[in-house]
Amino acid sequence: MSPKKVAKTASAPRASAPASPRTGVVLSVDDEHLENIAAIEKKVVAAGLVDVHTSPLLGTITGAIPREQVRRLRAIGGVSSVELDRTVRAL
């Protein structure tokens, strides 16, 4: 008896884990690094920040990033603080 050939079937692609929801952040750039805010912007984008808006006059960079990646932003030189976006309701 000859062995039967078994057709290989492709398994369904695995569903990847859903992307973590992004949270809005406001980064303050240290006064000593304001002249390099464009370079800092490039670094925060490389760290995963999207929907980026930079205000050189205010020394801030805003955008969105998955919450678990916020620590990456805090580690970038020239970033003095990172605040999570929040909703404030007036009475």
Side-chain angles (χ1 to χ4, degrees), residues 8-58:
K8 291 185 179 181
T9 58
S11 59
R14 284 191 203 179
S16 59
S20 173
R22 291 187 175 108
T23 187
V25 291
V26 178
L27 290 76
S28 295
V29 175
D30 187 284
D31 288 343
E32 296 174 3
H33 294 90
L34 285 177
E35 64 187 31
N36 298 322
I37 197 166
I40 294 170
E41 178 184 358
K42 288 180 183 178
K43 290 178 183 179
V44 299
V45 168
L49 193 68
V50 296
D51 300 328
V52 178
H53 300 281
T54 301
S55 177
L57 292 176
L58 296 176

